Amino acid sequence: MMGKYTYFLDFTTQELLSAKEMLKKMPVVYNNVYFSKKYANALWSGEKEEHFKDIVLLCDQIHISNIRQIIKSNFLYIQGWDSLKYPNNEDYGFSFIAGNIKFTIMTFRETESGYIIKSYDTESTYCCTTTINANKKLFLDTSINENGDFVRTCDFTVEDMNDSNTEKKLPPKKEKSRVAVYEDNRGNAIANANYILTVVVVLVILLWFILIISNYLR
């Protein structure tokens, strides 16, 4: 989908909470994503005024396809921000805009020692694979805030990604075709010439017939 999209480069706690309410209107999305822990205080109480640049969400890789479909159904999908736009690429998640705020959805897969997180950086276009050694009992959490809303959070931030635990790679480019197509227009030129010649002959015959008729009528 092509178009212009506007979003905040910096937003406040209240704007974060408003964006969260938009997600709640999409239960399939909200019930299956975990907010990065750096938003925890804002999501739980909303009293302290904080500033953020984007919202990072994690979801189990088994849910990413359903979440993507819901985002598309709500006309929030931006193809240029989806890792799947590249040919033969793994699913590294995608980003979208809701409430003028940019959301980035990353996927996770559980391992023996922690989690493997896949993410797509829309600015650098890097596909990233991050290996996290974590206490599985604490990494994912579901809590009830003061308003009685449940909030899912994860013990992860973008700042946790570094050269030692993250592999970055550029997505594959579209393979160039090994087959070229050449169109020979000479056949068309000959056909056009034959057509013009036929028209000329018909006109000459018609003119000759008119002259005969004219002489006869005299």
Side-chain angles (χ1 to χ4, degrees):
M1 182 182 296
M2 301 296 291
K4 293 183 178 180
Y5 305 92
T6 302
Y7 61 98
F8 297 127
L9 297 177
D10 178 273
F11 55 90
T12 65
T13 298
Q14 290 306 312
E15 289 164 334
L16 167 63
L17 294 177
S18 295
K20 185 200 73 171
E21 291 302 312
M22 290 193 66
L23 288 190
K24 289 176 65 176
K25 295 179 181 179
M26 300 179 285
V28 172
V29 178
Y30 188 76
N31 294 339
N32 290 292
V33 296
Y34 294 82
F35 289 82
S36 172
K37 65 181 180 182
K38 68 180 180 180
Y39 316 115
N41 290 331
L43 293 170
W44 282 329
S45 65
E47 296 178 356
K48 182 180 178 181
E49 187 64 21
E50 298 182 71
H51 287 263
F52 308 94
K53 294 183 178 180
D54 55 16
I55 296 181
V56 173
L57 305 171
L58 263 65
C59 77
D60 192 309
Q61 64 179 11
I62 64 175
H63 298 305
I64 188 65
S65 295
N66 288 337
I67 290 175
R68 180 182 282 107
Q69 188 57 49
I70 295 300
I71 295 301
K72 288 182 177 181
S73 299
N74 284 271
F75 306 102
L76 302 174
Y77 179 73
I78 303 174
Q79 185 177 9
W81 282 0
D82 192 346
S83 63
L84 290 186
K85 69 178 182 178
Y86 297 102
N88 303 320
N89 197 27
E90 297 180 59
D91 198 334
Y92 287 82
F94 63 99
S95 295
F96 66 96
I97 295 174
N100 293 323
I101 288 179
K102 179 181 179 181
F103 290 82
T104 296
I105 297 187
M106 305 178 179
T107 68
F108 68 81
R109 174 173 61 84
E110 187 175 336
T111 65
E112 291 184 3
S113 59
Y115 299 88
I116 292 179
I117 297 171
K118 290 186 177 293
S119 59
Y120 174 62
D121 189 327
T122 59
E123 295 183 7
S124 68
T125 71
Y126 276 115
C127 293
C128 303
T129 301
T130 303
T131 302
I132 298 292
N133 294 322
N135 185 333
K136 298 179 184 179
K137 294 181 179 180
L138 301 176
F139 186 74
L140 302 176
D141 183 55
T142 301
S143 303
I144 305 295
N145 65 11
E146 294 182 355
N147 297 322
D149 296 329
F150 79 89
V151 179
R152 299 181 189 274
T153 57
C154 57
D155 188 17
F156 175 81
T157 68
V158 173
E159 290 72 23
D160 293 330
M161 300 169 61
N162 53 59
D163 293 338
S164 63
N165 66 10
T166 300
E167 175 188 357
K168 298 180 180 180
K169 67 177 183 179
L170 289 173
K173 295 182 179 179
K174 186 176 181 180
E175 185 177 352
K176 293 183 179 179
S177 176
R178 297 175 58 197
V179 178
V181 177
Y182 170 72
E183 183 176 354
D184 190 347
N185 293 320
R186 289 179 300 175
N188 292 335
I190 294 174
N192 290 337
N194 290 335
Y195 174 77
I196 293 173
L197 181 60
T198 300
V199 171
V200 170
V201 170
V202 170
L203 290 175
V204 169
I205 294 173
L206 181 60
L207 181 59
W208 178 76
F209 181 75
I210 292 174
L211 289 175
I212 292 176
I213 296 298
S214 297
N215 292 332
Y216 177 78
L217 293 176
R218 289 178 185 177

